[in-house]
Structures are given as structure tokens and as C-alpha cells.
Amino acid sequence: ISTHHHVDHAAGLRTFVAAGVKIVIGAPGHKTMKEVFRASSLLEADELSKTPRHARIVAVESVERIGSGPNAIEVRQVPNTHAIDMVIAYLPNKKLVFTSDLFTPGFDFQIKAHVKSLYDLILSQQLQVESVAGGHGIVGTFEELKGHALKP
């Protein structure tokens, strides 16, 4: 699952494609990522250049469920101003959300519009969230997210 197309979140995906792994991304990034996976590595041959393979991409329009039972993951598209293809991973059984760049637990500085977009999605889709894991931080609480989203 790639939260969005920015290099610090998607740079390693070509290696996963070479290994035959299905890539889950936000639908708006589908065309761009297909081009990235088709391109050759110009500076140094990477695994995908050495062993070309067709990328298996799941483009999430709204919600995509992966797996079943208590370990199911829901990948959800998040409308926001940071990246048009932004998705989060939600683990309903754990009441946990994984996000990158929308909210970074443990940091005082947050971009309110990004935090608010995640907070609004959680509320509007009635997700049961207690913990928020950040791609650039630690695991925080929903209350911490709420505090930043509602800060004047």
C-alpha cells in the first residue's frame, strides 16, 4: 500500500513490482505510477529493469478491502490538499489508521488543512479510530489528531 506518489513514499515500489507484488494506490495516481513502472532505470539498473514485469495495480477509488476477518485492511481515498492520490490504511479490528504526511503524531507543528482532511474523513465515514500511526513519526492517539484538527 502506497499512501501517495511522492518519492519518500513510493521510491521502493519498483522493487515490489519486480517481485510480483500487487501495488495498492489511490486511483488518481494510477496513470503516473503505470508510467513509472514501465520506465527503465536510467542511472543504475534496478530489479524491475533487470527482470521486467507487468505491474499489478489496485487503484482505490473510494474504499478497497484487503483480506477478511480480524486482519482485514481497508484502504480509503482521502480528499486533501497534499496529494491527489492520497490513501490511508485502516485496520477496523485494531481501531488503527496509518497515514503519511496528513498527520505526524508526536510533533507540535502540523499543517491544519492536512490534519483536518484526515479528521473529517474519519468522522464522515464513522471509522472507529483510537490510534494513528504516522509514516514520519510515531503512533499517536485519535485525541491528539482531534486536538490538532480543532485547534484555532
Side-chain angles (χ1 to χ4, degrees), residues 7 10 19 30 35-36 43 67-68 75 77-78 84 98-101 103 109 125 135-136 138 147:
V7 69
H30 184 249
E35 291 171 10
V36 167
L43 299 176
S68 60
V75 180
Q77 181 88 32
V78 183
I84 193 168
F98 175 81
T99 184
S100 285
D101 295 352
F103 174 58
F109 175 78
Q125 296 187 5
H136 291 294
I138 59 175

Short mmCIF file of all heavy atoms in Angstrom, two decimals, residues 7 10 19 30 35-36 43 67-68 75 77-78 84 98-101 103 109 125 135-136 138 147:
data_model
loop_
_atom_site.label_atom_id
_atom_site.label_comp_id
_atom_site.label_asym_id
_atom_site.label_seq_id
_atom_site.Cartn_x
_atom_site.Cartn_y
_atom_site.Cartn_z
N VAL A 7 8.07 10.88 -3.70
CA VAL A 7 9.23 10.00 -3.75
C VAL A 7 9.56 9.35 -2.40
O VAL A 7 9.98 8.19 -2.35
CB VAL A 7 10.47 10.74 -4.33
CG1 VAL A 7 10.98 11.81 -3.38
CG2 VAL A 7 11.56 9.76 -4.70
N ALA A 10 7.02 6.39 -2.34
CA ALA A 10 6.81 5.49 -3.47
C ALA A 10 8.10 5.01 -4.14
O ALA A 10 8.05 4.20 -5.06
CB ALA A 10 5.92 6.19 -4.51
N ALA A 19 9.09 -8.10 -7.86
CA ALA A 19 8.85 -9.32 -7.08
C ALA A 19 7.45 -9.88 -7.30
O ALA A 19 7.10 -10.91 -6.74
CB ALA A 19 9.07 -9.04 -5.60
N HIS A 30 -2.88 6.38 -10.67
CA HIS A 30 -2.73 5.16 -11.46
C HIS A 30 -1.92 5.36 -12.73
O HIS A 30 -0.96 4.64 -13.00
CB HIS A 30 -4.12 4.57 -11.77
CG HIS A 30 -4.06 3.27 -12.48
ND1 HIS A 30 -4.46 3.14 -13.78
CD2 HIS A 30 -3.64 2.04 -12.08
CE1 HIS A 30 -4.29 1.89 -14.16
NE2 HIS A 30 -3.80 1.20 -13.14
N GLU A 35 3.32 4.55 -15.64
CA GLU A 35 4.47 5.06 -16.40
C GLU A 35 5.77 4.84 -15.65
O GLU A 35 6.79 4.46 -16.25
CB GLU A 35 4.27 6.54 -16.71
CG GLU A 35 3.15 6.81 -17.70
CD GLU A 35 2.82 8.28 -17.85
OE1 GLU A 35 3.57 9.14 -17.35
OE2 GLU A 35 1.78 8.58 -18.47
N VAL A 36 5.76 5.06 -14.35
CA VAL A 36 6.96 4.82 -13.53
C VAL A 36 7.37 3.36 -13.61
O VAL A 36 8.56 3.04 -13.76
CB VAL A 36 6.71 5.24 -12.06
CG1 VAL A 36 7.81 4.73 -11.13
CG2 VAL A 36 6.57 6.74 -11.95
N LEU A 43 19.93 5.54 -14.37
CA LEU A 43 21.23 5.68 -13.71
C LEU A 43 21.87 4.34 -13.40
O LEU A 43 23.04 4.13 -13.64
CB LEU A 43 21.09 6.51 -12.44
CG LEU A 43 20.59 7.94 -12.64
CD1 LEU A 43 20.40 8.64 -11.31
CD2 LEU A 43 21.56 8.72 -13.52
N GLY A 67 -8.12 -8.60 2.28
CA GLY A 67 -8.23 -9.66 3.26
C GLY A 67 -9.62 -9.71 3.87
O GLY A 67 -10.53 -8.99 3.47
N SER A 68 -9.75 -10.60 4.84
CA SER A 68 -11.04 -10.76 5.52
C SER A 68 -10.79 -11.11 6.98
O SER A 68 -9.67 -11.37 7.38
CB SER A 68 -11.87 -11.85 4.84
OG SER A 68 -11.18 -13.08 4.90
N VAL A 75 -8.36 0.20 2.61
CA VAL A 75 -7.60 1.32 2.05
C VAL A 75 -8.64 2.32 1.58
O VAL A 75 -9.55 2.00 0.82
CB VAL A 75 -6.70 0.85 0.89
CG1 VAL A 75 -5.91 2.01 0.32
CG2 VAL A 75 -5.77 -0.27 1.36
N GLN A 77 -9.48 6.32 0.10
CA GLN A 77 -9.06 7.56 -0.55
C GLN A 77 -9.39 8.73 0.38
O GLN A 77 -10.46 8.75 0.99
CB GLN A 77 -9.81 7.71 -1.87
CG GLN A 77 -9.45 8.93 -2.67
CD GLN A 77 -8.28 8.72 -3.61
OE1 GLN A 77 -8.08 7.64 -4.12
NE2 GLN A 77 -7.52 9.75 -3.82
N VAL A 78 -8.46 9.69 0.49
CA VAL A 78 -8.67 10.85 1.35
C VAL A 78 -8.59 12.14 0.53
O VAL A 78 -7.52 12.50 0.05
CB VAL A 78 -7.60 10.94 2.46
CG1 VAL A 78 -7.89 12.11 3.40
CG2 VAL A 78 -7.51 9.64 3.24
N ILE A 84 -3.13 14.31 -4.57
CA ILE A 84 -4.44 13.94 -5.14
C ILE A 84 -4.72 12.44 -5.01
O ILE A 84 -5.88 12.02 -4.99
CB ILE A 84 -4.54 14.40 -6.60
CG1 ILE A 84 -5.99 14.32 -7.08
CG2 ILE A 84 -3.60 13.62 -7.50
CD1 ILE A 84 -6.24 15.02 -8.39
N PHE A 98 -3.21 4.17 9.46
CA PHE A 98 -1.85 4.53 9.06
C PHE A 98 -1.96 5.62 8.01
O PHE A 98 -2.70 5.49 7.03
CB PHE A 98 -1.10 3.33 8.46
CG PHE A 98 0.25 3.73 7.93
CD1 PHE A 98 1.33 3.87 8.79
CD2 PHE A 98 0.43 3.98 6.58
CE1 PHE A 98 2.57 4.27 8.30
CE2 PHE A 98 1.67 4.38 6.08
CZ PHE A 98 2.74 4.51 6.94
N THR A 99 -1.22 6.70 8.21
CA THR A 99 -1.23 7.82 7.28
C THR A 99 0.18 8.36 7.12
O THR A 99 1.02 8.20 8.01
CB THR A 99 -2.16 8.95 7.77
OG1 THR A 99 -2.21 9.99 6.79
CG2 THR A 99 -1.71 9.52 9.10
N SER A 100 0.43 8.98 6.00
CA SER A 100 1.70 9.68 5.80
C SER A 100 1.42 11.09 5.33
O SER A 100 0.63 11.29 4.40
CB SER A 100 2.56 8.96 4.77
OG SER A 100 3.12 7.79 5.30
N ASP A 101 2.05 12.03 5.98
CA ASP A 101 2.03 13.45 5.62
C ASP A 101 0.75 14.20 5.99
O ASP A 101 0.78 15.43 6.06
CB ASP A 101 2.34 13.67 4.14
CG ASP A 101 3.75 13.26 3.77
OD1 ASP A 101 4.54 12.94 4.68
OD2 ASP A 101 4.07 13.24 2.57
N PHE A 103 -0.87 13.73 8.91
CA PHE A 103 -0.73 13.94 10.35
C PHE A 103 0.52 13.20 10.80
O PHE A 103 0.73 12.04 10.42
CB PHE A 103 -1.96 13.40 11.09
CG PHE A 103 -1.87 13.43 12.58
CD1 PHE A 103 -1.65 14.62 13.27
CD2 PHE A 103 -2.02 12.27 13.32
CE1 PHE A 103 -1.57 14.65 14.65
CE2 PHE A 103 -1.96 12.28 14.71
CZ PHE A 103 -1.73 13.48 15.37
N PHE A 109 4.16 20.92 15.32
CA PHE A 109 3.82 21.58 14.06
C PHE A 109 3.07 20.61 13.16
O PHE A 109 3.53 19.51 12.88
CB PHE A 109 5.07 22.08 13.34
CG PHE A 109 4.75 22.65 11.98
CD1 PHE A 109 4.20 23.93 11.87
CD2 PHE A 109 4.94 21.91 10.84
CE1 PHE A 109 3.88 24.45 10.63
CE2 PHE A 109 4.63 22.43 9.59
CZ PHE A 109 4.09 23.70 9.49
N GLN A 125 -16.95 9.05 7.65
CA GLN A 125 -17.11 7.63 7.33
C GLN A 125 -17.32 6.79 8.59
O GLN A 125 -17.34 5.56 8.52
CB GLN A 125 -15.93 7.14 6.50
CG GLN A 125 -15.88 7.86 5.16
CD GLN A 125 -14.85 7.30 4.21
OE1 GLN A 125 -14.18 6.30 4.47
NE2 GLN A 125 -14.71 7.95 3.08
N GLY A 135 3.61 7.84 9.03
CA GLY A 135 4.74 7.40 8.21
C GLY A 135 6.03 8.14 8.52
O GLY A 135 7.11 7.67 8.21
N HIS A 136 5.94 9.31 9.13
CA HIS A 136 7.13 10.09 9.50
C HIS A 136 7.22 10.29 11.01
O HIS A 136 7.90 11.19 11.48
CB HIS A 136 7.10 11.46 8.83
CG HIS A 136 7.29 11.43 7.36
ND1 HIS A 136 8.45 11.02 6.75
CD2 HIS A 136 6.44 11.73 6.35
CE1 HIS A 136 8.33 11.10 5.44
NE2 HIS A 136 7.11 11.52 5.17
N ILE A 138 5.59 8.65 15.04
CA ILE A 138 5.30 7.56 15.97
C ILE A 138 3.82 7.23 15.87
O ILE A 138 3.13 7.70 14.97
CB ILE A 138 5.68 7.98 17.41
CG1 ILE A 138 4.90 9.25 17.81
CG2 ILE A 138 7.19 8.22 17.51
CD1 ILE A 138 5.11 9.68 19.26
N GLY A 147 -7.23 17.11 18.53
CA GLY A 147 -6.73 18.36 19.10
C GLY A 147 -6.11 19.27 18.05
O GLY A 147 -6.34 20.49 18.03
#
